[in-house]
Amino acid sequence: MTHTRPTWAEISRSSLIGNYRTLGQRMGPQTILLSVVKADAYGHGLACCAQALAAAGCGWFGVTSVEEGLALRRICPEARILIMSGLWPEEANTAVEHRLTPVVWEPRHVHWMEQAARSQGLSSVPVHLEIDTGMSRQGVQLGHLGTVLDSLIGASLLKLEAVMTHFHSPDEAAANVEQIRQFQAAVNAVFHSGLRPEILSAGSSTDLLHQGTLSVTNLACELGASRMLRAGLSLYGYDPCGEAEWGLHPVLQWKTRVTGLREIESGDTAGYSGTFRAGRPTRLALLPVGYADGLNRLLSNRGSVLIRGQRARIAGRISMDQTMVDVTDISGVQREDEVVLIGEQGSASVSAADLAQITGTIPYEVLCAISARVPRTMVE
Ligand SMILES: *Cc1c(COP(=O)(O)O)cnc(C)c1O
C-alpha cells in the first residue's frame, strides 16, 4: 500500500548501525550483544531494523513472542532468535521448526520443547533458563530451581545454552547487587547439577551504558562462559537514564506536514471542548496526525512540534486524526511545510524522552505507541 497521508517515521540506518557499533565497543571480549527488537523494534519497524542490524553483523535478536520470532525468521534466515516471554503449549512445535530459542523456567516449558524436538527428530535444541532474581514477573524462583533443573537434566534432546536473568532497577546499584547475588547462587546450582551452559545472559541498556554489572562478566569468565547483554532502547539511541554522553543517536524521526492554515480572533476557541482560547489574533496550522497515530492526547495544549526550525505549541485537544498548533510567532508558515513531532529541525529538537516527560511516561512507551498506520521508511 502506498501511503499518501503526509505522516511518516524516518528510520536512520546509519544511526542504528552506529549505535550498535558504539554499544559493541562498550562490551568486553567474550561478550555477545543481543539486539532486542520486540514490539516491532520498539516501534521502529522490525523488518528494516533487523535487516540493517544483521547486515552490520548482529547474530542474536530478542523478541517477545513466537509470532514476532516467526516474522523475524522470514527476514533473517540465519540469525539466532530468543523468545523472551516464554511459550504457550501449542507454540513449541513452531518454535523448534523455525529454530526460535525460547526462554524457559517451568518444567512444562521443558516438556513441550522436548516433545517438539522428539517429534521433529532433533537432538540438541537450545533453550535459555530464566532465573527470577527479584522482578517477580517470570523466571524460576530460587526455591523451585531444583525441579526445573531436574526436568532439564531429564530432557535429553534439549541443550541448556544459557542462564539468564533480568534486573528490575538497573540504575540502582544496591538492588542490582542483591539480584546479582541471587543470580550467582542460581548459576552455581546449575553448574553443580552438572549442566554446562555456555552463556550467562543478564543486563539491558542501562547495565551496558552504566557498567553496573561487571561482576556478571567476571562470573562468566570464571566459569569459562560467555557473557550476553540484551540491549533495546540504547540501540534506538536513548539512554534509559536520560544521559546524553554516549555518542548514541536517536534512530527515529516522526514527521508530518501542514495541511491547512487559519486565522482566529482573540476569544475564539480551537478543538474539542474549547480548551484552547486565543488571547490574541492567532494563526493555527493543521497537522494530519492525532492520538490514533500515537500522539499522546496528554500532549494537548502542552507539547510542541517543530516548524521552520521553531517550536509551535499544540493548540487545544489532540483529536483522533488531527492536531492544531499555534504558529502565530513563526513567520512564513505555509501549507506543506515539513513538521517534526520527534527529531531535529535546524538547531531545535524534540526527543521521545521530552514527550515522555510531559506525559509522565518513558521514551519506550512513546516510541512503541507510534501506531501501525504511520509508515516507517528507512533513510540513510
Ligand atoms: C526489553 C528487554 C530488554 C531490553 O531492555 P532495554 O532497557 O530496552 O535495553 C532486555 N531483556 C529483557 C528480558 C527484556 O524484556
Side-chain angles (χ1 to χ4, degrees):
M1 187 172 90
T2 47
H3 296 273
T4 46
R5 189 177 72 128
T7 296
W8 71 99
E10 290 174 6
I11 308 302
S12 162
R13 184 197 314 270
S14 55
S15 297
L16 180 63
I17 291 174
N19 294 341
Y20 176 72
R21 299 221 165 103
T22 301
L23 295 172
Q25 279 158 14
R26 289 190 71 77
M27 316 240 315
Q30 291 290 301
T31 3
I32 302 166
L33 177 56
L34 174 143
S35 295
V36 180
V37 292
K38 64 192 177 193
D40 203 28
Y42 289 44
H44 291 60
L46 176 66
C48 63
C49 291
Q51 242 154 19
L53 288 164
C58 178
W60 277 92
F61 293 91
V63 295
T64 285
S65 60
V66 167
E67 265 165 63
E68 290 184 353
L70 277 178
L72 180 55
R73 177 54 77 219
R74 282 182 220 114
I75 299 157
C76 298
E78 305 302 330
R80 293 298 309 274
I81 300 176
L82 186 66
I83 308 294
M84 299 193 299
S85 300
L87 285 175
W88 293 95
E90 64 276 19
E91 291 178 330
N93 265 316
T94 312
V96 170
E97 183 185 341
H98 295 275
R99 292 168 289 119
L100 310 176
T101 303
V103 168
V104 299
W105 65 89
E106 291 180 20
R108 59 189 200 141
H109 298 147
V110 175
H111 296 317
W112 299 335
M113 287 300 289
E114 174 83 351
Q115 274 174 6
R118 181 170 301 112
S119 73
Q120 294 179 42
L122 298 172
S123 63
S124 188
V125 173
V127 296
H128 291 198
L129 171 65
E130 178 162 354
I131 313 294
D132 178 8
T133 55
M135 180 76 127
S136 306
R137 182 172 70 172
Q138 59 176 51
V140 60
Q141 295 167 287
L142 277 189
H144 301 283
L145 181 57
T147 326
V148 71
L149 287 181
D150 286 345
S151 71
L152 280 164
I153 290 164
S156 60
L157 306 178
L158 303 186
K159 179 176 101 173
L160 177 63
E161 181 178 37
V163 184
M164 73 170 270
T165 196
H166 194 48
F167 300 117
H168 58 73
S169 309
D171 50 341
E172 279 177 40
N176 247 357
V177 165
E178 174 53 22
Q179 283 196 268
I180 291 170
R181 199 186 58 70
Q182 293 205 27
F183 186 55
Q184 186 150 2
V187 168
N188 287 339
V190 170
F191 276 79
H192 194 72
S193 78
L195 293 164
R196 289 285 175 274
E198 296 154 14
I199 298 172
L200 300 189
S201 171
S204 53
S205 294
T206 304
D207 305 292
L208 177 48
L209 293 174
H210 300 273
Q211 306 213 312
T213 58
L214 282 173
S215 50
V216 178
T217 309
N218 295 337
L219 178 62
C221 263
E222 281 167 34
L223 296 167
S226 299
R227 167 82 199 272
M228 175 182 276
L229 259 141
R230 308 176 305 264
L233 192 71
S234 51
L235 268 181
Y236 307 103
Y238 291 91
D239 174 2
C241 300
E243 287 171 28
E245 72 245 40
W246 312 114
L248 300 174
H249 299 285
V251 170
L252 176 144
Q253 296 204 83
W254 188 10
K255 297 181 177 177
T256 184
R257 288 187 193 281
V258 173
T259 51
L261 286 157
R262 69 185 56 205
E263 320 279 341
I264 61 172
E265 302 295 325
S266 182
D268 287 352
T269 68
Y272 284 119
S273 305
T275 63
F276 177 87
R277 185 175 292 274
R280 56 174 178 169
T282 296
R283 190 161 196 238
L284 295 177
L286 178 64
L287 312 179
V289 60
Y291 60 79
D293 299 289
L295 190 63
N296 194 311
R297 195 164 162 280
L298 295 173
L299 294 165
S300 298
N301 289 312
R302 298 168 75 200
S304 309
V305 304
L306 307 178
I307 303 182
R308 299 200 164 230
Q310 296 182 61
R311 253 164 229 287
R313 178 67 84 97
I314 294 173
R317 293 250 163 97
I318 292 172
S319 308
M320 187 181 288
D321 311 302
Q322 294 181 307
T323 298
M324 280 87 80
V325 295
D326 183 345
V327 295
T328 315
D329 297 324
I330 306 177
S331 61
V333 175
Q334 290 178 14
R335 219 190 271 271
E336 306 215 349
D337 276 358
E338 189 168 288
V339 177
V340 168
L341 305 165
I342 293 177
E344 294 181 353
Q345 204 181 53
S347 57
S349 71
V350 181
S351 73
D354 296 334
L355 301 189
Q357 183 145 38
I358 298 174
T359 57
T361 186
I362 48 178
Y364 298 75
E365 189 183 2
V366 171
L367 294 167
C368 292
I370 301 172
S371 73
R373 84 175 183 193
V374 177
R376 274 70 168 168
T377 14
M378 191 149 242
V379 298
E380 269 321 299

